[in-house]
Amino acid sequence: MADPISDESMTSKKLLFAIYLIASCAGNAWAQGQNSSKSAAKPAPATLAGCLDAKDMKAQQLFGLWTARFTNPPDGLPATATMLLERHAEFSDSLAGIVSRNLGLASGSPKIAGHAAKAFLAGDLEDGMLILDESSDNLSITGTWNGEMVPGSCGKVFKGMWKDTSKSAPADAPDVPFTLTFRR
């Protein structure tokens, strides 16, 4: 004959074990629900217009041909230039390229000291900021480009400032506003 205390003790143990399992499953489901709600709370990288947010863009999305338009360029530099951006040969997440200017079309001198018709570019796209260094002699930085993506342009338009940093630049060389527009 079975011992009534043992049966009661076994039933209690089974009941406690069942409660433990239910609680464990519920706790696990709650934790996964929390993770899901955190993921769902994050906005998708695309904006309402279907464009990436500037901070979600990568350098590779800027590869191609661009037109730069300057507002009030210094004498000797034209109001427009062409820029080719490509993958940097050594740093795959960075940019490299060339900016080409038709110095013969510039007002003032046919060539501004410290700048060549073609200059090398290297830089990055960091948190939506386009940062490029320009070098006319492939040794020193002769200009800097700092720009931000125009909201709603889907990464096809950047506005910012260009600065003449060549040895021949005056100490008070002004920042020159630019607009960079993707061509293809």
Side-chain angles (χ1 to χ4, degrees):
M1 184 156 173
D3 184 8
I5 297 174
S6 297
D7 284 341
E8 189 177 324
S9 176
M10 276 306 257
T11 304
S12 294
K13 286 181 182 179
K14 287 180 183 177
L15 183 60
L16 286 174
F17 183 71
I19 292 171
Y20 171 77
L21 284 177
I22 292 169
S24 294
C25 291
N28 188 30
W30 178 82
Q32 286 189 359
Q34 290 298 310
N35 288 339
S36 296
S37 67
K38 285 180 185 173
S39 298
K42 284 185 181 178
T47 64
L48 293 178
C51 301
L52 284 177
D53 186 74
K55 292 182 179 183
D56 294 323
M57 291 191 69
K58 304 291 181 207
Q60 68 192 35
Q61 292 165 303
L62 302 185
F63 295 172
L65 201 56
W66 296 78
T67 298
R69 297 192 190 289
F70 298 94
T71 304
N72 300 320
D75 286 343
L77 287 180
T80 61
T82 299
M83 184 183 288
L84 175 64
L85 293 177
E86 301 173 311
R87 181 175 90 55
H88 194 285
E90 294 177 44
F91 308 104
S92 62
D93 290 337
S94 295
L95 296 161
I98 295 175
V99 60
S100 302
R101 298 177 176 99
N102 188 342
L103 296 178
L105 297 178
S107 62
S109 64
K111 181 178 177 184
I112 189 169
H115 293 281
K118 289 192 182 214
F120 297 99
L121 298 168
D124 292 296
L125 182 65
E126 297 177 3
D127 293 327
M129 288 291 302
L130 176 62
I131 303 163
L132 297 169
D133 290 333
E134 174 183 329
S135 179
S136 290
D137 61 6
N138 208 19
L139 297 172
S140 59
I141 297 173
T142 54
T144 59
W145 301 72
N146 294 302
E148 292 184 87
M149 184 181 84
V150 173
S153 73
C154 297
K156 305 297 184 200
V157 181
F158 283 77
K159 287 190 175 201
M161 296 291 177
W162 177 82
K163 178 87 168 173
D164 185 352
T165 60
S166 66
K167 291 178 184 173
S168 62
D172 61 346
D175 289 343
V176 179
F178 73 83
T179 301
L180 201 57
T181 307
F182 185 75
R183 289 173 41 185
R184 58 181 165 96

